[in-house]
Amino acid sequence: MSEKVTGNAFDFKIFRRLMSYAKAYRSQFVLSTVAVLLLAGLAAARPILLQWIVDEYILGNNARLLLVFSLVMLGVVFLEVIFQFLFIYYTNWLGQNIIKDIRTKLFEKVLKFKMQYFNKTPVGKLVTRVVSDIETIASIFGQGLFAIISDLLQMLVIIIIMMVMNWRLGLIVVAVLPIMVYATKLFQIKIKGTFQDVRNQVSNLNSFVQERISGMKIVQLFTREKVEHDKFLAINDKHKKAHIRTVWYYSIFFPVVEILSSITLAVIVWYGGLTAAVEGATSFGVITSFIYMTNMLFRPLRQIADKFNTLQMGMVAAERVFVVLDEDAAEVDTGTLEIEHFKGNIKFDNVYFRYLKDEPVLRGISFEVKQGETVAVVGATGAGKSTIINLLSRFYRINSGSITIDGIDINQIKLESLRNQISVVLQDVFLFSDSILNNITLNNKDIGLEEVTEAAKVIGIHDFIMTLPDNYNYNVKERGGMLSVGQRQLIAFLRAYVSKPAILVLDEATSSIDAQSERLIQKATNTITQNRTSIIIAHRLATIKKADKIIVMEKGKIVEQGTHAELLKQKGYYSKLYEIQFETAQAS
């Protein structure tokens, strides 16, 4: 994923794209805009009332009208509080609903990505995009866009009132504004790059921590704690330095603004007091009001830089999220046929495939699996066995040749229809942090507890599940960490069983389990593969003796085919492999 920064302090292209998500919430957008306008008007009313109160009712010794106008000012402030509430509530409501829509769209996109995308993209970075980056986008609406508009409107109204009230004093304030605006603009440009760096470092930190926590067993088994700790220190230090660079710009900008503000106030008091004392051209109410308005003008200007930075952080986050949304990595479903049920005749015809350009994995593979047959695929690691399953499920597209089911090219079958009828049990079983029941049914409402229980009894794992707390409602925690490897395999096998597949694939399903679990799976295999097309990829040759056909692979090619007995008679690759495993088993 690209981490490129546009270099602009504010990217209108990204902003327009974000605003397109606000169209669904027009009424809330309009209400927020009205609140912004009313807040600007009410804020401007305060200095005018203050000038009247000082000149006409305090210096004029009019206690009755002083009370009346003080109550009027209190009413204005009260109205301002009400509209401030509406402003804060609806701008944040708008932001949260927009990021909900973006997050939904992003997750839907990620669900359709090809396996190749996940192979090359760190999980931590995707998590950062889907969670923290999108949450940052909400600040564009809650603390950025509308707040900036409100401040700018308030500043414009204040400047107009200043020029009308006393243009000489107004010019003093206006003369300082270009310096303030320039400083603010420079600050915004400088800070955007640091914010992008901060987000990148957060993403790197997330990826590192997530991987190490997931692989903590390996870290501790190989005593790599110190090495990983040192790596973490380096990444954490980069994260710290990125944040310190933002603090550096803040520490320069805000003192500059404070100095300019203080100088402006001093000049107003000096010049206003001088003209009031010598010429009588300026009233004390005007001077008081100008002091008040100068603070009202410069305070938003100080805050507007911070709010603009909040807006920029949201824009940077949006840019990164849109990079994922714009990824051309989705699986293109070219299939048009929806097959209700496969018979299960599979044919690979001269299939060539490579993951990388110059590294072929399959070299002209051709074989057939007839309906109801159990075919085993064996060979050394890297021979291309698991690749066959990936291609059959259309996780990857072949470079040449064809793969058909019941005589139909799999590319012509709708992806959902294809995968719904193929169940796969992998060597590395993935279980969600959820109940055993939900991990078996994958929240399929058509599969009930009674059906799962009956299937578990057939396979022979019902008794094991009943020994667990809460039985079928037992939460296996993240990745099934509360269960042993063998138990996870059995759950995965039951998951495949209850889906009633037309084609069953066992990919090294018995390679990492104990003898007891293997006996259970062998029993279940005999049941589930009966009258069902099955492909078994295995290292343990003893588990596939009863297969209708065994395909032997080496370096992406089929070197032998036949039954267990036939292959032993050939005294070839399979025979040698079997003898080695048999001798190893005898020795152990």
Side-chain angles (χ1 to χ4, degrees):
M1 288 181 292
S2 172
E3 303 293 347
K4 185 179 178 182
V5 185
T6 60
N8 301 322
F10 186 85
D11 195 318
F12 283 98
K13 184 179 179 181
I14 293 175
F15 178 72
R16 285 195 300 269
R17 187 169 176 180
L18 275 175
M19 291 307 297
S20 67
Y21 288 92
K23 291 179 181 178
Y25 309 101
R26 285 189 179 88
S27 57
Q28 289 78 14
F29 188 88
V30 170
L31 187 58
S32 300
T33 305
V34 170
V36 166
L37 296 172
L38 290 174
L39 280 172
L42 291 169
R46 281 183 281 144
I48 297 175
L49 288 170
L50 180 61
Q51 188 243 319
W52 286 350
I53 288 171
V54 172
D55 284 342
E56 302 296 331
Y57 312 123
I58 294 179
L59 297 179
N61 296 320
N62 192 331
R64 186 179 66 82
L65 288 179
L66 174 63
L67 176 62
V68 171
F69 273 81
S70 295
L71 291 174
V72 170
M73 180 174 278
L74 182 64
V76 169
V77 172
F78 183 71
L79 284 174
E80 196 172 350
V81 169
I82 293 175
F83 285 110
Q84 190 74 29
F85 162 76
L86 293 174
F87 167 76
I88 293 173
Y89 178 79
Y90 279 106
T91 53
N92 281 279
W93 184 95
L94 185 64
Q96 289 300 319
N97 277 274
I98 286 173
I99 66 168
K100 178 204 69 174
D101 294 344
I102 296 176
R103 185 182 286 118
T104 300
K105 186 175 181 180
L106 180 62
F107 191 69
E108 287 175 350
K109 177 98 179 191
V110 170
L111 286 174
K112 296 177 182 178
F113 280 164
K114 301 174 185 176
M115 284 297 108
Q116 289 168 310
Y117 181 84
F118 298 104
N119 292 340
K120 66 182 181 181
T121 305
V123 174
K125 288 193 175 184
L126 274 177
V127 172
T128 301
R129 301 296 179 272
V130 176
V131 182
S132 60
D133 277 345
I134 287 187
E135 197 60 43
T136 305
I137 293 174
S139 62
I140 291 177
F141 300 91
Q143 296 87 40
L145 174 67
F146 287 103
I148 290 172
I149 293 173
S150 177
D151 288 343
L152 288 174
L153 284 175
Q154 179 177 311
M155 290 169 63
L156 178 62
V157 172
I158 291 298
I159 290 171
I160 293 172
I161 293 172
M162 281 181 167
M163 300 305 293
V164 171
M165 192 175 289
N166 189 310
W167 65 270
R168 292 184 179 89
L169 292 179
L171 285 177
I172 293 172
V173 178
V174 171
V176 180
L177 282 180
I179 303 174
M180 297 278 279
V181 170
Y182 177 76
T184 302
K185 179 70 174 177
L186 190 63
F187 175 65
Q188 291 160 0
I189 294 173
K190 294 292 184 182
I191 205 71
K192 184 182 180 183
T194 63
F195 280 146
Q196 176 71 19
D197 194 20
V198 167
R199 298 305 305 165
N200 286 341
Q201 297 306 326
V202 168
S203 180
N204 292 336
L205 199 60
N206 283 347
S207 296
F208 183 88
V209 172
Q210 183 167 346
E211 284 184 354
R212 269 57 187 183
I213 290 176
S214 299
M216 188 57 69
K217 190 172 184 179
I218 298 298
V219 172
Q220 293 183 355
L221 279 172
F222 289 89
T223 63
R224 306 301 291 172
E225 292 91 342
K226 187 178 186 307
V227 174
E228 299 302 331
H229 178 261
D230 291 342
K231 287 182 180 178
F232 178 80
L233 287 180
I235 295 174
N236 200 27
D237 186 60
K238 289 180 181 179
H239 182 264
K240 177 202 71 176
K241 288 177 179 177
H243 270 288
I244 287 177
R245 281 193 291 273
T246 66
V247 174
W248 166 256
Y249 288 118
Y250 275 107
S251 62
I252 294 175
F253 174 72
F254 285 107
V256 168
V257 173
E258 286 296 332
I259 290 171
L260 291 173
S261 178
S262 299
I263 291 172
T264 305
L265 282 173
V267 174
I268 287 173
V269 171
W270 170 76
Y271 183 77
L274 188 65
T275 54
V278 177
E279 304 174 9
T282 305
S283 68
F284 288 108
V286 170
I287 295 173
T288 304
S289 183
F290 258 81
I291 293 172
Y292 185 68
M293 283 190 291
T294 301
N295 283 321
M296 288 182 68
L297 186 64
F298 285 176
R299 185 177 65 249
L301 195 58
R302 288 193 298 269
Q303 294 174 349
I304 208 170
D306 203 31
K307 291 170 183 175
F308 209 100
N309 293 328
T310 299
L311 179 61
Q312 285 183 319
M313 285 182 70
M315 297 291 283
V316 168
E319 186 175 10
R320 290 154 61 95
V321 168
F322 289 149
V323 165
V324 183
L325 281 173
D326 293 338
E327 279 282 356
D328 186 22
E331 179 68 54
V332 179
D333 190 359
T334 56
T336 57
L337 301 176
E338 190 162 345
I339 311 299
E340 187 174 339
H341 185 73
F342 292 145
K343 293 178 181 178
N345 294 298
I346 302 171
K347 183 178 181 181
F348 277 62
D349 186 11
N350 200 30
V351 173
Y352 283 83
F353 174 76
R354 59 178 63 87
Y355 292 105
L356 301 176
K357 185 176 180 181
D358 298 320
E359 298 181 18
V361 179
L362 297 184
R363 309 164 187 260
I365 294 293
S366 296
F367 67 89
E368 289 188 53
V369 185
K370 295 180 181 179
Q371 178 183 354
E373 277 190 342
T374 296
V375 172
V377 183
V378 301
T381 301
K385 305 185 300 296
S386 295
T387 300
I388 289 175
I389 308 311
N390 288 331
L391 297 180
L392 182 63
S393 300
R394 264 178 56 191
F395 283 122
Y396 301 92
R397 287 185 176 270
I398 61 177
N399 299 117
S400 64
S402 68
I403 303 173
T404 61
I405 298 178
D406 298 339
I408 304 170
D409 191 304
I410 60 171
N411 292 317
Q412 297 177 10
I413 304 171
K414 286 186 177 180
L415 198 57
E416 185 177 358
S417 179
L418 174 71
R419 292 178 181 170
N420 273 341
Q421 298 186 63
I422 301 176
S423 285
V424 181
V425 179
L426 299 171
Q427 176 184 0
D428 183 18
V429 176
F430 188 95
L431 297 182
F432 296 95
S433 180
D434 204 338
S435 67
I436 285 180
L437 178 63
N438 288 338
N439 269 290
I440 293 167
T441 65
L442 295 178
N443 295 297
N444 185 342
K445 302 301 181 184
D446 295 330
I447 305 174
L449 175 59
E450 185 177 344
E451 184 178 348
V452 171
T453 303
E454 290 302 315
K457 289 177 180 177
V458 171
I459 290 177
I461 65 170
H462 174 72
D463 293 340
F464 143 66
I465 295 175
M466 295 305 292
T467 63
L468 299 172
D470 298 324
N471 310 135
Y472 285 88
N473 292 316
Y474 178 67
N475 193 313
V476 300
K477 303 301 181 183
E478 188 175 358
R479 299 184 69 90
M482 300 302 292
L483 302 177
S484 69
V485 174
Q487 290 168 340
R488 291 198 294 270
Q489 285 283 6
L490 289 167
I491 296 299
F493 205 93
L494 182 55
R495 175 197 291 169
Y497 186 27
V498 298
S499 66
K500 298 181 178 66
I503 299 170
L504 175 68
V505 178
L506 305 180
D507 187 358
E508 308 284 6
T510 62
S511 64
S512 301
I513 59 176
D514 56 79
Q516 174 62 25
S517 297
E518 184 176 346
R519 282 194 292 271
L520 288 173
I521 286 185
Q522 283 302 314
K523 174 188 173 183
T525 301
N526 295 334
T527 303
I528 195 173
T529 58
Q530 191 172 4
N531 300 321
R532 177 179 284 115
T533 302
S534 304
I535 300 176
I536 302 174
I537 296 174
H539 276 146
R540 296 185 186 182
L541 305 186
T543 64
I544 55 170
K545 290 180 180 180
K546 296 181 181 179
D548 296 304
K549 181 166 57 178
I550 298 172
I551 297 173
V552 185
M553 295 187 65
E554 184 180 14
K555 295 180 180 180
K557 294 182 177 181
I558 295 176
V559 293
E560 293 176 354
Q561 291 190 60
T563 64
H564 174 71
E566 289 170 349
L567 292 175
L568 286 180
K569 288 180 182 179
Q570 291 179 18
K571 300 295 182 180
Y573 185 95
Y574 180 84
S575 176
K576 292 178 182 178
L577 190 61
Y578 184 78
E579 287 175 6
I580 292 171
Q581 288 197 9
F582 180 77
E583 290 173 0
T584 303
Q586 289 285 78
S588 61

